[in-house]
Amino acid sequence: TIPSEFGKLTEMVEFGLYMNQLNGTIPTELGNLSKLPFLYLWNNRLSGTIPSELGKLTEMTDLELANNQLNGTIPSELGDLVQLTTLYLWNNRLSGTIPSELGKLTQM
């Protein structure tokens, strides 16, 4: 489980917990990490939805959530991550359509 208290680490510039067996959800509080350009949570057992609060991470260039058990839709707020160059969401249980807002991600 990723503790919600990690959202208080507002000076963090890289967050990597990939290739573990973490379960639980992605805390919405991670949306407070406004200086974070890299978020690596791939290859875990994370479930639940992708928090729309991740759309507040406007310095984000690399968001890797692949190979988990995430469900629901892709939040349209991810379209606000205009610095994003890498977005990995493969091998999850996502549904619905790809939000048109992701078309704003011209760095990808």
Side-chain angles (χ1 to χ4, degrees):
T1 302
I2 302 170
S4 61
E5 289 80 10
F6 279 18
K8 296 177 182 175
L9 306 174
T10 56
E11 298 298 315
M12 189 183 311
V13 294
E14 188 166 344
F15 192 115
L17 292 173
Y18 54 93
M19 294 187 68
N20 290 288
Q21 296 183 19
L22 297 172
N23 55 27
T25 60
I26 299 172
T28 58
E29 290 84 357
L30 294 187
N32 297 330
L33 305 178
S34 60
K35 297 181 181 180
L36 192 68
F38 308 107
L39 180 59
Y40 303 122
L41 298 176
W42 52 275
N43 205 17
N44 281 291
R45 296 179 181 166
L46 298 171
S47 59
T49 60
I50 299 171
S52 61
E53 288 82 358
L54 296 184
K56 296 190 296 186
L57 303 176
T58 55
E59 299 298 317
M60 181 71 57
T61 62
D62 200 341
L63 178 58
E64 300 187 15
L65 306 176
N67 204 26
N68 280 290
Q69 299 170 11
L70 299 170
N71 58 46
T73 60
I74 299 170
S76 61
E77 290 84 355
L78 295 187
D80 294 333
L81 305 177
V82 294
Q83 302 298 320
L84 205 63
T85 59
T86 304
L87 176 62
Y88 292 159
L89 301 175
W90 48 269
N91 202 23
N92 279 292
R93 298 176 180 165
L94 299 171
S95 59
T97 60
I98 297 173
S100 61
E101 290 83 355
L102 295 188
K104 297 188 293 186
L105 305 178
T106 59
Q107 301 296 317
M108 291 183 40

